[in-house]
Each structure stands twice: as C-alpha cells, then as structure tokens.
C-alpha cells in the first residue's frame, strides 16, 4: 500500500506562483511499482479535473489543457516525491489539489481519475483576484 501526502498549498494572489509536493511512502516494493504519478484538482461544485501526470518509465509528462504552459510537473525518484510548480496562477485555479498514483497508465488513460489506485488527502490552493 502506498500513502501519499500533499503539501505546499496556500493563498496566493493572481499571477503568483506556488509549488506543491507529494511524498510517497510505504513498502519499498510498493513504491517501486508506481510508474505514473498524477495531479488532479477539485473546485467546489465541480468534478475532479486532471491537471498533470508524470510517467517514470519514459519520463513523459502530460498536462490538462487549462494549465498547459503555466504548470510544470516533475518527479524526484530518490525522494519518492513529485512536484507541481504552478505559475501565472488565476482565480479559476482555486481548488483542492490531489496527488494520485498508479502502477502504469497508457497515454490514452493517463488523465482518467478512475485509473489511479492511490490518492492523497489534498491540499487547498486559493488564488485571490
């Protein structure tokens, strides 16, 4: 079983930046089995939305259309941690941000929240106008 803990959320003005972190813990073989790490967000009254994902096997990164060019996902395998650098933040980026993990996801399903098997509890990001 893999446990995920997000951190780094907070209140920021529009145009500002934040960096979220997600630390994975658990049995070594469980963490090593995780190839795909993703970020999702959920605003009040809305469905959970795909933000970004990083696939370790081929070092590929994917982004949701609403964050392309503004957010950057990265992964530190040695620390079992993934990051989400968010820049040029907008009020519509306000949401709870969740980290998620999966053994391996093909490109066609990497944005599908139901494909991820482990989730963190989320961290709140609030962008003021």
């Amino acid at each position: 079983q893999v446990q995920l803990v997000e951190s780094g959320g907070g209140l920021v003005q529009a145009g500002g930046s934040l960096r979220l972190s997600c630390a994975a813990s658990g049995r070594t073989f469980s963490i090593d089995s995780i190839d795909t790490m993703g970020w999702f967000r959920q605003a009040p009254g809305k469905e959970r939305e795909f933000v970004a994902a990083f696939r370790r096997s081929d070092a590929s990164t994917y982004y949701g259309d609403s964050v392309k060019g503004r957010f950057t996902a990265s992964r530190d395998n040695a620390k079992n941690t993934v990051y989400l650098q968010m820049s040029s933040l907008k009020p519509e980026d306000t949401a709870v941000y969740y980290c998620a993990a999966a053994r391996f996801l093909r490109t066609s399903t990497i944005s599908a929240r139901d494909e991820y098997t482990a989730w963190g509890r989320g961290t709140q990001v609030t962008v003021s106008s």
Side-chain angles (χ1 to χ4, degrees), residues 24-93:
S25 62
R27 293 184 175 182
T28 300
F29 73 85
S30 295
I31 295 176
D32 288 346
S33 70
I34 297 297
D35 182 74
T36 303
M37 298 287 292
W39 287 97
F40 290 76
R41 67 185 183 186
Q42 188 166 18
K46 294 189 177 181
E47 291 191 354
R48 196 167 294 190
E49 174 191 21
F50 172 74
V51 175
F54 184 91
R55 195 163 57 202
R56 182 176 61 181
S57 54
D58 59 3
S60 55
T61 312
Y62 302 84
Y63 297 97
D65 289 340
S66 61
V67 306
K68 282 180 181 177
R70 299 189 298 122
F71 290 12
T72 303
S74 60
R75 179 170 177 166
D76 186 332
N77 292 324
K79 295 182 179 180
N80 294 322
T81 300
V82 293
Y83 304 96
L84 185 67
Q85 178 67 46
M86 306 185 295
S87 303
S88 302
L89 283 162
K90 305 174 183 179
E92 50 263 45
D93 294 318

